[in-house]
Amino acid sequence: MHTQVIVLNGGSSSGKSRIARSLQAVLPDAWLSLSVDTLVDAMPARLTTGGDGIGFAEDGGVDVGQEFMTLQDAWIAGLVAMARAGAHLVVDDVFLGGAASQRRWLDALGDVPTLWVGVHCDAAVAEDREAARGDRVSGMAAKQADVVHEGVAYDLEVDTTNTESMDCARAIAAHLGYLSERSAVEQTPTRGGRS
Amino acid sequence: MHTQVIVLNGGSSSGKSRIARSLQAVLPDAWLSLSVDTLVDAMPARLTTGGDGIGFAEDGGVDVGQEFMTLQDAWIAGLVAMARAGAHLVVDDVFLGGAASQRRWLDALGDVPTLWVGVHCDAAVAEDREAARGDRVSGMAAKQADVVHEGVAYDLEVDTTNTESMDCARAIAAHLGYLSERSAVEQTPTRGGRS
Amino acid sequence: MHTQVIVLNGGSSSGKSRIARSLQAVLPDAWLSLSVDTLVDAMPARLTTGGDGIGFAEDGGVDVGQEFMTLQDAWIAGLVAMARAGAHLVVDDVFLGGAASQRRWLDALGDVPTLWVGVHCDAAVAEDREAARGDRVSGMAAKQADVVHEGVAYDLEVDTTNTESMDCARAIAAHLGYLSERSAVEQTPTRGGRS
Amino acid sequence: MHTQVIVLNGGSSSGKSRIARSLQAVLPDAWLSLSVDTLVDAMPARLTTGGDGIGFAEDGGVDVGQEFMTLQDAWIAGLVAMARAGAHLVVDDVFLGGAASQRRWLDALGDVPTLWVGVHCDAAVAEDREAARGDRVSGMAAKQADVVHEGVAYDLEVDTTNTESMDCARAIAAHLGYLSERSAVEQTPTRGGRS
């Protein structure tokens, strides 16, 4: 059965959203890209400053309260329904709870064909990229780099430390059996040295 | 039964998203704010330049193709499932198809308690606000101001031409039976002259 | 001599940037719109979290340190040079220091023909708009509404409480002797009731 | 004499702005980061849709008209004045005119101590990154990759094809004689394999 949902899990600044955008460019169907950031943006402002919602500490720590969790469960249920209604989804998320976070998705996804992708990035490199973006609380990248993968099971793992987002996307597309003409051309030896 | 979904329908630059943010501030529960812009942002870039997707012409015209419609149906199904799973939603949309657009939502919403709100704004004022934002294609506001309301049935209609977004939100909250302490204070005569 | 610089001074969420964008739309020449936000965005991230830079407290208070002031002086000098080199500028600023803030601009501007515009907004309305934007620290609007105007001298004052940004811009353009065809048409009785 | 201005020149999606943000993080003084994008954002909307302003064609081509050039000259004069007034500037630009573009900056900078940095990126990689960003007209990266460097003289050249933005920034900082404690630590063998 064809994969309907691709879940990208990785720490902040690991490159998830760039891989998601790249997947949209290389995959033949129209995939929607939605992330936990979309959910946070949709929340009332008062739920994004800690408490029962989600809080971003000055040291890069992220705390999640009960109300955030409740809304997130409904959010996940909605995304799964979107997939069941026919939409292809690339979801990028940060499994702050590791295996427990994946469990919540698994319970909601049921038999929806899903590809689980771990997005790794060396903590020091992710920290550098966080500074280069200039729009993230410093410290998140390093704190999340490893913990989000604890106990999580993947179909495929990619690492952006030395590989471009687009090349990670091509690897995911190839794993799914898609190999666009463009990818085929670009994976000839003229590009081979880089990926 | 309590309202689970508030649908705000109005033309571009009529003030929908500001009313949505205001509703999040005045309503006691945590409402998620999602809009057709969220959907467009989630789409592959190639679907946002016309063709089968959505296209924005230089004169402010908006064309929607079959692939956009298909994805939007799945999107709507997902949002309804989010509401059924317990999330309160403020959805802002632009019913380019008027009554036909509302019909699609009605079919998907079924018995989910929904409040239908028409967001009006004088076309010339909306056009001025479009210019003042400086980030929208010029002409959308004027073209959409009236057509999006054709044949649409509402529980409540607000008009931002002379009323602040927050005051429109308070009117909606009052209609729902919510009157926060803050609203009560602010609706005393010291504010009365304006609303 | 023709006005080369328009300085808009007002509190947060008073409508300065919308007036600036509107001015760009109605004025015949090409005016550049630059604001203190442009300066803050240009600063290293570490200068936007307090200390010697600029800090935004949770209650809406804004503190400005010595390094911020030094950079701002150079910024102002640069903008004045831009104007002397022929660019028309709309500058929007928040005179946290009231008359002292204006003094710094006056000293830098020298004989550059400048129009000083005070942008007022009822504190409660500005606070509502701040909430409706959903992207500002709550409390800034109310705290700054009056204090930024203390001791500041203006050529013209506008009030966005009951007047659209674009209509404020038209009033400023008219004061400068510009009355575009579009404005003339729109100020006929069909619009008269609102402005 | 100490360098007051760092000019980064490179094609779209070559990594200039990430290097600029990284430089702000590693350099000891407070450097302002300003780019041609800042200028375009400051312009009236009507100057960003072609004609006498700047136009972005669907194939990634960029056309610049006379009014854009005139405003840009004033912009450059202003930035140089900012530097003369004491601000340290990282300027990122796209020399669409190659050597002629540099000439305009050289004439304006006069004796202001400036470091000229060429930012290279393999055209195919830049094109991939352009797609991964998802917010740029497709085709700009490939078109600009080489042409912007034609006839331009540099003090230092970096290449982001296989080097992180932050590591490019560290190389620039080292060239300037700055080697922050943090850089020293991070350039130990534990990171050596990557850069």
Side-chain angles (χ1 to χ4, degrees):
Chain A
M1 199 177 169
H2 285 306
T3 295
Q4 198 71 26
V5 176
I6 300 172
V7 178
L8 306 173
N9 174 47
S12 183
S13 290
S14 64
K16 298 179 302 297
S17 68
R18 288 190 166 220
I19 293 176
R21 289 294 173 199
S22 298
L23 279 168
Q24 292 188 302
V26 298
L27 291 173
D29 294 312
W31 291 67
L32 293 181
S33 168
L34 293 163
S35 81
V36 65
D37 288 343
T38 317
L39 172 61
V40 172
D41 288 346
M43 289 189 173
R46 68 174 177 274
L47 282 191
T48 60
T49 55
D52 277 351
I54 185 166
F56 301 89
E58 283 188 19
D59 68 351
V62 178
D63 280 311
V64 165
Q66 188 53 50
E67 196 153 11
F68 181 92
M69 299 284 276
T70 301
L71 280 170
Q72 192 176 34
D73 278 335
W75 167 258
I76 291 173
L79 266 50
V80 172
M82 243 175 250
R84 288 194 186 280
H88 290 86
L89 300 185
V90 183
V91 175
D92 67 86
D93 204 347
V94 182
F95 288 177
L96 293 172
S101 300
Q102 185 175 36
R103 169 54 46 202
R104 293 168 69 206
W105 275 99
L106 281 167
D107 289 345
L109 282 161
D111 60 356
V112 175
T114 302
L115 185 80
W116 297 91
V117 181
V119 180
H120 298 273
C121 182
D122 178 88
V125 173
E127 192 173 17
D128 280 355
R129 291 179 186 170
E130 179 177 71
R133 294 169 70 168
D135 65 348
R136 287 294 185 280
V137 177
S138 178
M140 286 174 62
K143 272 186 205 296
Q144 298 176 358
D146 297 318
V147 70
V148 300
H149 297 292
E150 279 176 17
V152 180
Y154 297 115
D155 297 302
L156 185 66
E157 299 182 61
V158 296
D159 191 322
T160 65
T161 311
N162 292 302
T163 307
E164 293 287 311
S165 308
M166 182 60 85
D167 289 325
C168 294
R170 289 189 184 110
I172 297 167
H175 183 94
L176 289 174
Y178 299 112
L179 197 63
S180 71
E181 219 175 288
R182 184 183 171 213
S183 302
V185 168
E186 290 177 2
Q187 286 177 1
T188 58
T190 61
R191 288 290 301 290
R194 194 172 52 82
S195 60
Chain B
M1 199 176 170
H2 286 307
T3 294
Q4 197 74 25
V5 175
I6 300 171
V7 178
L8 306 173
N9 174 47
S12 184
S13 290
S14 64
K16 299 179 302 297
S17 68
R18 287 190 168 221
I19 294 176
R21 290 294 173 199
S22 298
L23 279 168
Q24 292 187 303
V26 297
L27 291 173
D29 293 312
W31 291 67
L32 293 181
S33 168
L34 292 163
S35 81
V36 65
D37 288 343
T38 316
L39 171 61
V40 173
D41 287 346
M43 288 188 174
R46 68 174 178 274
L47 282 191
T48 61
T49 56
D52 277 351
I54 185 167
F56 302 89
E58 284 189 19
D59 68 351
V62 178
D63 281 311
V64 165
Q66 189 51 51
E67 195 153 10
F68 182 90
M69 299 285 275
T70 302
L71 279 170
Q72 192 176 33
D73 277 336
W75 167 258
I76 290 173
L79 265 49
V80 172
M82 242 174 249
R84 287 193 188 280
H88 290 85
L89 299 187
V90 182
V91 175
D92 68 85
D93 203 348
V94 182
F95 288 178
L96 293 171
S101 300
Q102 185 175 34
R103 170 54 46 201
R104 294 167 70 204
W105 274 100
L106 281 166
D107 289 346
L109 282 161
D111 61 355
V112 174
T114 302
L115 185 80
W116 296 91
V117 181
V119 180
H120 298 274
C121 182
D122 178 88
V125 174
E127 193 173 16
D128 279 355
R129 291 180 186 167
E130 180 178 69
R133 293 169 71 168
D135 64 349
R136 286 294 185 283
V137 177
S138 179
M140 286 174 62
K143 272 185 204 297
Q144 299 175 356
D146 297 319
V147 70
V148 300
H149 298 292
E150 279 175 17
V152 180
Y154 297 116
D155 297 302
L156 185 67
E157 300 182 61
V158 296
D159 191 321
T160 65
T161 311
N162 292 300
T163 307
E164 292 288 312
S165 308
M166 181 59 84
D167 290 326
C168 294
R170 289 187 184 112
I172 297 167
H175 183 94
L176 290 174
Y178 298 113
L179 199 63
S180 71
E181 218 175 293
R182 185 185 169 212
S183 302
V185 167
E186 290 177 1
Q187 287 177 0
T188 57
T190 59
R191 288 289 301 288
R194 194 172 52 81
S195 61
Chain C
M1 199 178 170
H2 285 306
T3 296
Q4 197 73 25
V5 175
I6 299 171
V7 178
L8 306 173
N9 174 46
S12 183
S13 290
S14 64
K16 299 178 302 296
S17 67
R18 288 189 166 221
I19 294 176
R21 289 294 173 199
S22 298
L23 280 168
Q24 291 187 304
V26 298
L27 291 173
D29 294 312
W31 291 67
L32 294 181
S33 169
L34 292 163
S35 81
V36 65
D37 288 342
T38 317
L39 171 61
V40 172
D41 288 346
M43 289 189 172
R46 67 175 178 273
L47 282 191
T48 61
T49 55
D52 277 352
I54 185 166
F56 302 89
E58 284 187 20
D59 68 351
V62 177
D63 280 311
V64 166
Q66 190 51 51
E67 197 153 10
F68 181 92
M69 299 286 275
T70 302
L71 279 170
Q72 192 177 32
D73 278 336
W75 167 258
I76 291 173
L79 265 50
V80 172
M82 242 174 251
R84 288 193 186 281
H88 291 84
L89 300 186
V90 183
V91 175
D92 68 84
D93 204 348
V94 182
F95 288 179
L96 293 172
S101 300
Q102 186 176 33
R103 170 53 46 202
R104 293 167 70 205
W105 275 100
L106 282 166
D107 289 345
L109 283 161
D111 61 355
V112 174
T114 302
L115 185 80
W116 296 91
V117 181
V119 180
H120 298 273
C121 182
D122 177 89
V125 174
E127 191 173 18
D128 280 355
R129 290 179 187 169
E130 179 178 71
R133 294 168 70 168
D135 65 347
R136 288 293 187 281
V137 177
S138 178
M140 286 174 63
K143 272 185 204 297
Q144 299 175 358
D146 297 319
V147 70
V148 300
H149 298 292
E150 280 175 17
V152 180
Y154 297 114
D155 297 303
L156 185 67
E157 299 182 62
V158 296
D159 190 322
T160 65
T161 310
N162 292 301
T163 307
E164 293 288 312
S165 308
M166 182 59 85
D167 289 326
C168 294
R170 289 188 184 110
I172 297 167
H175 183 95
L176 290 174
Y178 299 112
L179 197 62
S180 71
E181 218 175 290
R182 184 185 171 212
S183 302
V185 168
E186 291 177 0
Q187 286 177 2
T188 59
T190 59
R191 288 290 301 290
R194 195 172 51 81
S195 60
Chain D
M1 200 176 168
H2 285 305
T3 294
Q4 197 73 24
V5 176
I6 300 172
V7 178
L8 306 173
N9 175 47
S12 184
S13 290
S14 65
K16 299 179 302 298
S17 67
R18 288 191 167 220
I19 294 176
R21 289 294 172 199
S22 298
L23 279 168
Q24 292 187 303
V26 298
L27 291 174
D29 293 311
W31 292 67
L32 294 181
S33 167
L34 292 162
S35 81
V36 66
D37 288 342
T38 316
L39 171 61
V40 172
D41 288 346
M43 289 189 173
R46 67 174 178 274
L47 282 190
T48 61
T49 55
D52 277 352
I54 185 167
F56 301 89
E58 284 189 19
D59 68 350
V62 178
D63 280 312
V64 166
Q66 188 53 51
E67 196 154 9
F68 181 92
M69 300 284 277
T70 302
L71 279 170
Q72 192 176 33
D73 278 336
W75 167 258
I76 291 173
L79 265 50
V80 172
M82 242 174 250
R84 288 194 187 281
H88 291 85
L89 299 186
V90 182
V91 175
D92 67 87
D93 204 347
V94 182
F95 287 178
L96 293 171
S101 300
Q102 185 175 35
R103 169 54 46 201
R104 292 167 72 204
W105 274 100
L106 281 166
D107 289 346
L109 282 161
D111 62 354
V112 174
T114 302
L115 185 80
W116 297 91
V117 180
V119 179
H120 298 274
C121 181
D122 178 89
V125 174
E127 192 173 17
D128 280 354
R129 291 178 187 169
E130 180 178 70
R133 293 169 72 168
D135 65 347
R136 287 294 187 281
V137 177
S138 180
M140 287 174 63
K143 273 186 203 296
Q144 299 176 357
D146 297 318
V147 70
V148 300
H149 298 292
E150 280 175 18
V152 180
Y154 296 115
D155 297 303
L156 184 67
E157 299 182 62
V158 296
D159 190 322
T160 65
T161 311
N162 292 300
T163 307
E164 292 289 311
S165 308
M166 182 59 86
D167 289 325
C168 294
R170 289 189 184 111
I172 297 167
H175 183 94
L176 289 174
Y178 298 112
L179 198 63
S180 71
E181 219 173 291
R182 186 185 169 211
S183 303
V185 168
E186 290 178 0
Q187 286 177 358
T188 57
T190 59
R191 288 289 301 289
R194 196 172 52 81
S195 61

